[in-house]
Amino acid sequence: MSSIVSVVIAAQPGRGFTTSRWISRWGDSTLLGHVLDAARAWPVEPGLVVLGADAEDLLDGMEFDPFSVLIDPRWEDGELASFQAALDYLQRDDEVDAILLASGDMPVIPAGTVEAMLAAYATPRRPVAVVPKYRYVRGRPLLIRRNLWPRLLGLGGGSTIESVLATHDAPVAEVWIDHLPPVVIASPEDRDGVVPRR
């Protein structure tokens, strides 16, 4: 039976943090802890957390179950390299039909977003990908079907996942979300400007 698995990318170090941004305190947890707690509640199979910078500190200080952890040795090449490492790992499992890709620095996904994306994916004419559209702006998480993975694995530096989805011939479904795009926490100032939902 095919499945959809979640993938959380938490490989880039951010800027201005005195310690790893991923284990920076935020509310009653950490930045990455909030994302993983949300991902554990999504109605998909827990898949991978991809780490890069500060991987040893995260492994020592965080609980990842039931996710598997993949350390990307090429994380300095950017997010695309970490994403491709996840695809390379998951393509060996024939039971995985699609991935739900989340960013570890985006801890506040509007309620109902993932469920709406899964509903759009489950239509008879299954799209190659599903993207949320936050008030006219595409964002994340991204739902990406397996038949698109080879093209994404072939991307070089300077390319982005979003650029492929914007130009792909096969149907990409958009799900309208009546919220502003989720905040990306790249610095302490970003973190301090967003209130945790706990």
Side-chain angles (χ1 to χ4, degrees):
M1 182 177 178
S2 62
S3 63
I4 301 171
V5 301
S6 55
V7 174
V8 178
I9 304 291
Q12 304 302 309
R15 60 181 186 274
F17 289 92
T18 55
T19 58
S20 171
R21 69 164 164 163
W22 305 113
I23 54 176
S24 174
R25 296 303 302 178
W26 196 57
D28 62 359
S29 184
T30 62
L31 174 58
L32 183 56
H34 272 266
V35 176
L36 295 182
D37 284 346
R40 288 182 181 105
W42 292 340
V44 299
E45 295 294 323
L48 291 177
V49 180
V50 184
L51 305 180
D54 309 317
E56 290 186 7
D57 291 338
L58 271 67
L59 290 171
D60 288 341
M62 288 195 65
E63 175 58 58
F64 291 96
D65 286 343
F67 291 90
S68 298
V69 174
L70 182 66
I71 298 176
D72 175 26
R74 294 177 50 226
W75 66 266
E76 290 183 279
D77 292 339
E79 184 198 45
L80 179 62
S82 299
F83 172 68
Q84 289 172 328
L87 289 187
D88 183 60
Y89 180 88
L90 289 170
Q91 70 177 347
R92 304 169 198 174
D93 186 345
D94 293 336
E95 298 299 315
V96 179
D97 180 63
I99 61 166
L100 183 63
L101 175 67
S103 300
D105 54 9
M106 196 176 290
V108 185
I109 302 297
T113 298
V114 169
E115 289 77 4
M117 293 173 66
L118 293 172
Y121 182 72
T123 56
R125 188 185 178 199
R126 201 184 303 183
V128 71
V130 181
V131 299
K133 199 163 189 179
Y134 299 99
R135 296 184 184 175
Y136 309 107
V137 178
R138 283 184 171 188
R140 294 199 181 180
L142 301 172
L143 181 56
I144 304 172
R145 193 175 172 188
R146 189 185 190 99
N147 58 354
L148 187 56
W149 297 2
R151 181 170 175 184
L152 293 168
L153 281 166
L155 291 178
S159 301
T160 66
I161 306 163
E162 284 80 3
S163 66
V164 170
L165 298 182
T167 59
H168 201 270
D169 295 334
V172 174
E174 293 182 339
V175 174
W176 173 264
I177 307 296
D178 190 20
H179 288 272
L180 293 173
V183 174
V184 175
I185 297 181
S187 69
E189 292 76 21
D190 296 333
R191 176 199 61 200
D192 297 341
V194 181
V195 178
R197 290 180 177 169
R198 291 186 191 174

